[in-house]
């Protein structure tokens, strides 16, 4: 995506993430008239170290994201439907199809463009991952990964697609996990490998109940449905048990979740540069 208002970051930077925080994204526009549901940074949520921005975009031509610069972080653009065409000032170009993704390490700086590649709505998730200050000057690079290159398994009544993690070819500099998970009605499924990380769960479809295994006793289940997110801090979360709703109107619960090891450095936003 294009620019982030640095003033909006300053207004919410002092706020601390509670152990579990339920949020809805803020509808906005970015680039050239592109519709975006932004989960962070917003007034409600600044960042979730090491993650800087998460947008759920749905873009139809002529809207899009014409040439704009980035510096100081990595980007994963994961397509849900349609496709996106990309190119940058180093001469790289290509198309990200539905189910596939692009990873960009902006590092010392790039200028790139992202525009819809079909005439219909092109929907996806864009995530910015911060780099430590010691890595912000690395040489920019990118990686295109087709959907069939991402490991997909059926586990205990759920379908798990690994975007970043075990078996995925996606090369990210920070320790993190990122998955696209579908849980069928009435099925329980557990997200693990979270301890020491922080991040969020974002529901794409359906509704479910989420039980967080923490060091604190008495954590009540949290309900969340399509368009809602559950943000969790890294101090005490060990795993998350998911129960997909089961009734005559239920559809499968589909969500993405990502979690990473915090850097511990306050990001300084200068538009779409992060120092």
């Amino acid at each position: 995506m294009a620019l982030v208002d640095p003033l909006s970051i300053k207004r919410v930077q002092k706020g601390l993430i509670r152990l579990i925080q339920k949020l809805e994204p803020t509808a906005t526009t970015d680039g050239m008239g592109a519709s975006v549901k932004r989960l962070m940074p917003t007034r409600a949520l600044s960042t979730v170290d090491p993650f800087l921005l998460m947008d759920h975009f749905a873009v139809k031509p002529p809207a899009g994201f014409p040439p704009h610069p980035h510096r100081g972080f990595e980007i994963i653009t994961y397509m849900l439907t349609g496709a996106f065409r990309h190119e940058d000032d180093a001469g790289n170009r290509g198309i990200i199809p539905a189910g596939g993704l692009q990873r960009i390490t902006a590092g010392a700086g790039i200028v790139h463009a992202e525009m819809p590649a079909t005439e219909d709505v092109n929907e996806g998730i864009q995530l910015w991952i911060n780099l430590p200050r010691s890595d912000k000057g690395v040489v920019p690079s990118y990686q295109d990964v087709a959907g069939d290159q991402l490991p997909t398994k059926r586990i205990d009544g759920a379908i798990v697609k690994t975007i970043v993690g075990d078996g995925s070819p996606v090369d990210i500099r920070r320790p993190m996990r990122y998955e696209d998970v579908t849980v069928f009605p009435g099925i329980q499924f557990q997200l693990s490998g979270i301890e020491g990380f922080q991040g969020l769960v974002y529901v794409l479809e359906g509704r479910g109940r989420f039980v967080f295994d923490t060091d604190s006793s008495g954590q009540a289940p949290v309900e969340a449905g399509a368009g809602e997110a559950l943000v969790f801090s890294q101090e005490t979360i060990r795993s998350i048990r998911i129960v997909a709703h089961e009734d005559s109107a239920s559809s499968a619960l589909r969500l993405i979740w990502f979690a990473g090891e915090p850097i511990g450095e306050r990001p300084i936003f200068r538009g779409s540069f992060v120092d």
Side-chain angles (χ1 to χ4, degrees), residues 79-148:
M79 295 303 299
L80 301 172
T81 64
F84 250 42
R85 180 177 292 105
H86 67 85
E87 58 183 304
D88 64 31
D89 59 348
N92 301 307
R93 62 187 62 198
I95 292 179
I96 314 169
L101 63 85
Q102 182 188 64
R103 184 271 301 163
I104 297 174
T105 300
I110 61 165
V111 176
H112 79 149
E114 306 154 290
M115 300 298 288
T118 80
E119 294 302 312
D120 296 321
V121 174
N122 302 268
E123 180 186 7
I125 302 291
Q126 186 165 105
L127 179 66
W128 294 7
I129 306 113
N130 199 15
L131 289 170
R133 290 196 170 89
S134 58
D135 288 348
K136 288 187 181 293
V138 298
V139 175
S141 64
Y142 82 105
Q143 179 184 20
D144 284 332
V145 179
D148 60 8

Side-chain angles (χ1 to χ4, degrees), residues 64-86:
F65 306 96
H68 55 279
H70 289 305
R71 186 181 72 201
F73 54 92
E74 296 187 282
I75 304 166
I76 296 176
T77 303
Y78 175 51
M79 295 303 299
L80 301 172
T81 64
F84 250 42
R85 180 177 292 105
H86 67 85

